[in-house]
Amino acid sequence: MADRDDAALDDPVRESLRGHHAHLARRLGRTATYPPEVSTFSTVSADPDAAEWADLARLLGRGELADMFSSPATPPPDWEPVFVLEGLQMVWSGSGETGPGAADPGIVELGADSVPEMLDLVARTRPGPFWPRTRELGSYLGVRDDGVLVAMAGERLRPRGWTEISTVCTAPEARGRGHAARLIRALATRVMARNDHPFLHVAEANTRAIALYERLGFETRRHVTFRGFRVP
């Protein structure tokens, strides 16, 4: 970790949209966002003025959600707050149980034909936002039981030199079998094979997930606040 530049993690949405995800970016002025069926994450500059917020409003559309992720920028007063969630940004420390290893034959690649199952699993487990085209952000892996998708995880934000592991979820009837740990290890192996470094975000109240991530070798880099607003 000591020799890796982590500055890109300070604004991972902006860094992703002007880098690895540039082909998915919708832009107006200094604002940017993803297509809504991919992600609702939006980004503004470090010190946006009224004109910049107006650009973001035009880009998203009246009444739409401006998911500002971990951006500290505060929109004008007429932007209605929708949610606030305290969280942690965690990075792999280079130790723990996560790291390059043998391929896990029980893990499968999830393609476009798996999207209906992925959406159903997300609806039942609520790991965070996932839309019909979210899988276009990176690789998604799953575990099946008698052909039924019971666990999955994937790659989301891709700031320079880093890949976020996200949407880690397991169906209630399949919990306690180590599926989440297996999927995180498999994704981390892929990430490091291309010389990227794994990181993730987690709700601060989700102590069970935090304990798992720490066991796998992740450590907290910083506290973050996730916020969403309704475009007036």
Side-chain angles (χ1 to χ4, degrees):
M1 279 293 298
D3 61 350
R4 182 168 290 270
D5 179 12
D6 63 355
L9 298 181
D10 292 339
D11 192 350
V13 174
R14 189 173 187 83
E15 290 292 331
S16 298
L17 283 168
R18 70 182 187 183
H20 189 81
H21 290 157
H23 65 290
L24 294 170
R26 299 165 56 220
R27 301 183 182 281
L28 184 59
R30 294 190 294 173
T31 71
T33 188
Y34 290 91
E37 62 272 24
V38 174
S39 172
T40 56
F41 298 154
S42 300
T43 181
V44 293
S45 65
D47 188 21
D49 57 17
E52 193 168 337
W53 286 111
D55 281 346
L56 183 60
R58 284 192 292 271
L59 185 62
L60 295 174
R62 181 178 300 176
E64 296 300 319
L65 175 67
D67 187 336
M68 302 310 299
F69 200 67
S70 59
S71 170
T74 300
D78 57 343
W79 290 56
E80 177 191 356
V82 176
F83 67 85
V84 177
L85 178 66
E86 299 301 323
L88 303 177
Q89 183 183 77
M90 305 182 75
V91 297
W92 188 58
S93 64
S95 61
E97 298 179 10
T98 298
D104 186 333
I107 291 178
V108 297
E109 194 94 26
L110 299 176
D113 58 340
S114 299
V115 168
E117 295 175 281
M118 298 165 78
L119 289 168
D120 178 70
L121 183 58
V122 166
R124 291 199 291 144
T125 58
R126 300 186 181 277
F130 185 90
W131 310 106
R133 290 177 54 199
T134 299
R135 59 166 294 276
E136 295 179 25
L137 297 175
S139 298
Y140 278 78
L141 304 179
V143 176
R144 295 186 180 277
D145 186 0
D146 288 333
V148 177
L149 183 66
V150 296
M152 75 173 193
E155 300 172 350
R156 191 168 64 177
L157 297 177
R158 291 282 302 273
R160 181 184 67 259
W162 300 82
T163 298
E164 181 193 24
I165 294 176
S166 182
T167 323
V168 181
C169 58
T170 303
E173 66 273 15
R175 289 173 183 165
R177 304 179 193 174
H179 294 327
R182 292 168 61 199
L183 288 163
I184 293 169
R185 290 190 193 102
L187 285 166
T189 297
R190 289 186 176 210
V191 170
M192 289 184 281
R194 60 173 180 256
N195 202 33
D196 265 9
H197 202 83
F199 78 110
L200 52 82
H201 293 91
V202 59
E204 195 171 42
N206 193 349
T207 55
R208 183 174 179 178
I210 292 169
L212 169 64
Y213 299 149
E214 289 177 340
R215 177 163 61 83
L216 292 172
F218 288 85
E219 60 184 20
T220 299
R221 175 179 180 262
R222 62 173 180 145
H223 286 75
V224 294
T225 300
F226 303 108
R227 300 178 304 145
F229 300 88
R230 188 70 60 195
V231 177

